[in-house]
Structures are given as structure tokens and as C-alpha cells.
Amino acid sequence: MPERRTVALVTLGCARNEVDSEELAGRLAADGWELVENAEEADVAVVNTCGFVEAAKKDSVDALLEANDLKDHGRTQAVVAVGCMAERYGKELADALPEADGVLGFDDYADISNRLQVILSGGSVEAHTPRDRRSLLPLSPVERQKAAESVALPGHGTAAEEPAAAPATAPENVPSDLPEGVAPVSGPRAPLRRRLDTSPVASVKLASGCDRRCSFCAIPSFRGSFVSRRPSDVLNETRWLAEQGVKEIMLVSENNTSYGKDLGDIRLLESLLPELAGVDGIERVRVSYLQPAEMRPGLIDVLTSTDKVVPYFDLSFQHSAPDVLRRMRRFGDTDRFLELLETIRGKAPMAGARSNFIVGFPGETEADFAELERFVTHARLDAIGVFGYSDEDGTEAATYEHKLPQDVVDERLAHLSRLAEELTAQRAEERMGETLEVMVESFEEDENDGEGGWIGRAAHQAPETDGQVVLTADSTEGLDLAPGRMVTAKVVGTEGVDLVAACLIEEAGR
């Protein structure tokens, strides 16, 4: 009988990392590893790190150290770092953090089982050597698909063989795989993925990498150039997730508005979304990570008019003062951004909109900051994230002059954060009386009285980032609620950005 080997995956950072962890879980499970939820119950703790900003890096280091502490009094024998921070810093991270028994990059994912076995057996695996992953693929997007077959793209994996019991896929239900020269998929390819939780929501990768050159962002250097997944792979993975009980999928990548440009069709997302919404069992399709400068009228139409595709707009504005945006190597201004939001709401008045902003960017004047305030005040966003600028290794902005004093950055961060909190609470109050379709997600007990209530999300609320809907106890009494169930509810109150709603009817069978 083979020796029992257990592994736990600890995931930090964004939804893209969650997909990567589930791919690693699929690879390890296929090779006989037993997946356990808690690191203290695992022979090997694999920490999927985030390397986006300083706070995320600190969280990643803390998680590695915490896992290392388990080696003194638990089952855990080894701690391994993977993910963006491991890919970005490699040997530098290994030297600075000897507590990690291995630092593996994306190129190690395909052979992750053997790497972990060597480490678990007391051997050593050479720490990943970082490189600019943009150099691994052709500059021209349309030349990338074939070349991408030899490049590690986390979250793009499919099983080497088609499952014998896989249902046939009608040709008319599979989007064409472009461009010319890229072989079409003859049948469903099983996703190389193992779910790590039972949530009714799951993310699906549309693409990896980014071709934009924002001066403050290091992500393209360690995630590489933009590569779309085959439409059929996205569709088949969605079907597989639906079979696992998933009711809502969230499409993720570094830039979803670019999907299809390397497949010969920049409007491919518009044709794929209705196909995804038509998958049996799926109640919601949500698209995240949209670039304002790349929003197309056709895409807005599909996002605001397709049944089960929620009118949700996660728009990466970052700032609204033209001079700051130019230094960021981005496009737009306050008035154009407001026009975009007006266009969206003209088609879907209840549409959700969220964004993130950077304050204190090098050279940001008081007038620039006031312009950003003007935009945020008039945008009526449902959720707002605010970050203070800090230099990121290897970025163009790190070389800029006219850096603002840290106390100025901190002051502007605090000011805009307070304003954002007030504005998003006001936006929530605007939804008083609205009728919402709420996806039930969990039952949360009240720490004070031991009772509790059901929590869910409306169409304008993405998981973990945009607030939630608290269903009133009296309206849910007698209803057969469970995670993934859809109910119709009316907003009767607010708690900051969260909504309080009363169930009107239960939609049986959904």
C-alpha cells in the first residue's frame, strides 16, 4: 500500500490565486496526495503567496512563518512557497526566509508532486530563478497561442486525457477556437482542478498575463504577456463546476476586456458570455477586472442585457486626473469616466460598479487629488478600494522624481478612504426599496444571543469585496434555504455598505 502523503494549500491574495491553488490541488490529487484543509494536519503546507503590494507580501511571509511553526508541534514536516511572491523573488525570498523548505515558481507547477516528494524526503529543490516572463512569448498577440503550449500558465491546465464518461458536446454549443492554425478541441477536456471548498461560487480564469504597461504595476513581469484560454476550455470548466454544485462563476484574469485578442477576435467575450450563462445549473455569470479604456459598446450591451450575466462592472479607474493618468501610462479623465458610468446605468439602472484608486502617485498635486475627489463623489460606486502609492520593485514609477512625502500620502489615503466609506454607504441607501435577486451563501450565528441569520449577495456584490445582503430572520422563517439558493428580497435597511433585505418569495428549483 502506498505511503499516505498529505498536503494543505494555504491561499493568499486574489481570486486568480484561488484558481491556481485548485489546479495545484488537482495535480497533487491525481498523483495520490491526500488533500487536507488544515496545515497542521498536513505533511507539507504549500503557501500560495501574493506579491502585489507590500501589505500582501508581509501577509505572505507571515503565513509562511506561521506554517513553519507547525513543524515544532504538529504533523507538518515541510513548508513550501509558491505563487506570485515566489515567482517574483525566487532565490531572494529563499535566502531571506530559510524557514521555507522550498520556493517554487510557475515552471515547477507541472511537476509539483515530485518537487514536494523530494522536499518531504529531506532533499532539496533549487529555488526558482526569476525572469521577466514577458520575454517567453512572441510580442505579437496573434502569434502566442501555439508558443504558449510550452510556457507554464497557471490556471490554464486541462487533464492530459479526456474522461471516458464525459458527455458529448454539441458542436453548436462550443465557441469556435481561433485563430487559424490553432487546432480545435474535439471534445470536452476535463479541468485539471480540485475544489478546495464547497462554496456555491467559483472563479474561472479567462486568461493570464497582461500587455498593458501601467507604470506602477509589476504584474506583467512575473505573470507574463496576455494569453487567452480556449473558449471551449472555459465552457467545459464551467460545466464541470456546475456539476460540483457551483451556482455562480466569476471570470477572472489580469484584464478581461482583452480576452480573445490573441485568438483573432477581440469580441470573443461577447459571444462566450451567453454560452456560459446557458450552462445547466449556473445561475450567475460575473465578469471582473475590466479596463475602462477598452470597454466596448457591444460588451456593455451583453453585460446589461443577457439573462444570468449580472450587470456588474469592476472598472480599473485608478485615478481620474488626466496628468496623473498619463504618468501612470493610462487613459481617460473624470468626465469620460462619468460618461461611461452614465452609459452603463442608462442600460441597467441597478448595475453595480466598483473600482480601486491610488493616491499619492509621484507628482500628484492638490488639484489632481481634488479632481479625483470630484470623480469619486459623482460616480456613485457601490464599492471603492483606496491604496496609498508605494514604489514597487522594477516598475517605471519607482524611478520617477517628485515623490510625495509619506505623511502627505498617508493623509490623502485617510481622507479618500473616509470619503469612500461615506459615499458607498450613501449608495447602499439609494438601494432602499429595490427588489434584488439574492444568492444565499451562509448562515452566520450571532455571537451574543447564539441565534443568527442567512447571508447572501445581490447581483451588484462580488464575493468578499463588495458587501453583502443580510436577510431578515422573520422573512426567512420556514423557507428551505441553503448555500446556492436564489431568493427574491426587498431592501429594507442598510448597515454601511451592506444591505438588509426581507425575502419576498423563494424561487423553487433554483
Side-chain angles (χ1 to χ4, degrees):
M1 179 178 293
E3 181 181 358
R4 180 172 180 254
R5 303 175 298 175
T6 57
V7 60
L9 287 131
V10 179
T11 307
L12 295 95
C14 64
R16 301 186 293 272
N17 256 17
E18 294 171 4
V19 177
D20 295 351
S21 285
E22 293 198 346
E23 181 184 300
L24 289 173
R27 292 182 182 277
L28 291 166
D31 204 44
W33 289 79
E34 179 181 340
L35 301 169
V36 296
E37 184 175 351
N38 299 315
E40 59 265 26
E41 300 171 0
D43 297 316
V44 182
V46 177
V47 180
N48 192 348
T49 61
C50 178
F52 181 44
V53 293
E54 285 304 318
K57 296 175 198 174
K58 182 181 183 304
D59 288 345
S60 295
V61 170
D62 289 346
L64 288 164
L65 293 174
E66 182 178 340
N68 182 70
D69 289 342
L70 297 174
K71 291 191 288 187
D72 295 331
H73 53 268
R75 178 188 177 99
T76 308
Q77 301 174 52
V79 175
V80 176
V82 298
C84 290
M85 189 175 181
E87 173 66 36
R88 185 176 180 184
Y89 293 104
K91 290 183 176 180
E92 182 182 343
L93 176 62
D95 291 341
L97 198 70
E99 290 86 353
D101 299 287
V103 176
L104 307 180
F106 299 151
D107 294 332
D108 294 303
Y109 283 19
D111 199 31
I112 187 68
S113 177
N114 288 334
R115 299 286 196 274
L116 296 191
Q117 184 59 57
V118 168
I119 294 169
L120 183 60
S121 301
S124 62
V125 174
E126 184 177 358
H128 164 68
T129 300
R131 54 180 170 170
D132 189 333
R133 297 191 73 83
R134 291 171 293 191
S135 65
L136 304 181
L137 291 169
L139 186 62
S140 171
V142 296
E143 297 176 1
R144 287 183 195 153
Q145 282 290 317
K146 190 169 184 61
E149 295 175 4
S150 60
V151 175
L153 297 172
H156 287 225
T158 54
E161 298 181 1
E162 297 177 3
T169 302
E172 65 268 22
N173 291 333
V174 180
S176 59
D177 286 340
L178 303 170
E180 183 178 351
V182 177
V185 177
S186 58
R189 303 198 297 179
L192 191 57
R193 179 170 182 174
R194 175 68 67 90
R195 294 215 72 202
L196 293 174
D197 61 39
T198 58
S199 169
V201 184
S203 296
V204 177
K205 271 199 177 180
L206 270 184
S208 288
C210 186
D211 288 343
R212 300 184 70 88
R213 293 295 179 263
C214 301
S215 62
F216 55 84
C217 183
I219 289 176
S221 66
F222 57 85
R223 278 289 183 178
S225 299
F226 186 88
V227 179
S228 301
R229 291 183 71 195
R230 294 172 182 264
S232 52
D233 286 344
V234 176
L235 186 56
N236 290 329
E237 184 167 331
T238 299
R239 290 193 178 110
W240 178 82
L241 288 167
E243 292 170 0
Q244 309 298 309
V246 169
K247 299 297 183 183
E248 176 179 333
I249 62 164
M250 184 166 71
L251 302 178
V252 299
S253 74
E254 279 73 23
N255 178 9
N256 281 335
T257 35
S258 283
Y259 180 69
K261 72 174 186 179
D262 54 327
L263 292 171
D265 185 0
I266 192 60
R267 295 175 178 81
L268 195 54
L269 183 56
E270 286 94 307
S271 59
L272 178 59
L273 284 171
E275 297 283 354
L276 296 172
V279 171
D280 287 344
I282 295 297
E283 294 291 342
R284 276 186 187 161
V285 178
R286 185 181 303 276
V287 184
S288 60
Y289 304 113
L290 301 170
Q291 287 291 339
E294 298 180 27
M295 289 301 296
R296 306 175 291 276
L299 180 56
I300 295 174
D301 288 342
V302 170
L303 288 171
T304 55
S305 65
T306 306
D307 185 37
K308 296 188 179 181
V309 175
V310 297
Y312 174 79
F313 293 82
D314 176 12
L315 295 160
S316 178
F317 289 121
Q318 302 299 346
H319 213 284
S320 71
D323 289 345
V324 175
L325 286 168
R326 280 195 291 270
R327 287 194 292 275
M328 288 180 167
R329 297 202 177 280
R330 297 176 65 84
F331 307 95
D333 57 47
T334 295
D335 292 335
R336 273 189 279 183
F337 291 163
L338 291 175
E339 288 172 6
L340 172 60
L341 291 169
E342 184 179 355
T343 298
I344 291 168
R345 290 173 178 139
K347 296 177 179 293
M350 294 172 62
R354 79 166 329 273
S355 192
N356 294 322
F357 300 94
I358 298 173
V359 299
F361 194 78
E364 181 190 64
T365 65
E366 291 185 6
D368 293 329
F369 185 66
E371 184 67 3
L372 176 57
E373 282 189 275
R374 181 171 80 89
F375 172 67
V376 171
T377 300
H378 289 88
R380 296 172 56 229
L381 299 172
D382 293 279
I384 299 172
V386 185
F387 299 88
Y389 172 81
S390 62
D391 288 338
E392 281 295 312
D393 298 335
T395 62
E396 180 183 351
T399 69
Y400 285 179
E401 297 179 348
H402 309 298
K403 301 282 176 63
L404 275 62
Q406 190 60 48
D407 61 338
V408 174
V409 176
D410 293 342
E411 181 183 346
R412 292 181 182 179
L413 173 62
H415 178 83
L416 195 64
S417 296
R418 287 193 300 269
L419 178 61
E421 186 175 352
E422 294 172 5
L423 292 170
T424 51
Q426 290 175 17
R427 177 63 179 139
E429 290 173 0
E430 290 179 20
R431 294 189 180 274
M432 284 287 293
E434 281 188 3
T435 299
L436 309 172
E437 291 294 305
V438 178
M439 177 173 288
V440 177
E441 289 200 325
S442 63
F443 185 87
E444 296 189 2
E445 292 188 359
D446 190 301
E447 296 179 356
N448 297 320
D449 56 21
E451 298 182 358
W454 287 98
I455 305 296
R457 288 180 300 104
H460 70 278
Q461 297 168 319
E464 300 182 4
T465 60
D466 299 344
Q468 59 190 12
V469 177
V470 180
L471 298 173
T472 59
D474 57 342
S475 72
T476 60
E477 186 175 355
L479 295 182
D480 182 21
L481 298 185
R485 184 66 55 88
M486 298 290 291
V487 296
T488 303
K490 181 177 181 179
V491 180
V492 296
T494 64
E495 297 175 356
V497 71
D498 297 334
L499 304 178
V500 178
C503 292
L504 299 179
I505 60 171
E506 179 186 2
E507 297 190 2
R510 292 187 64 186

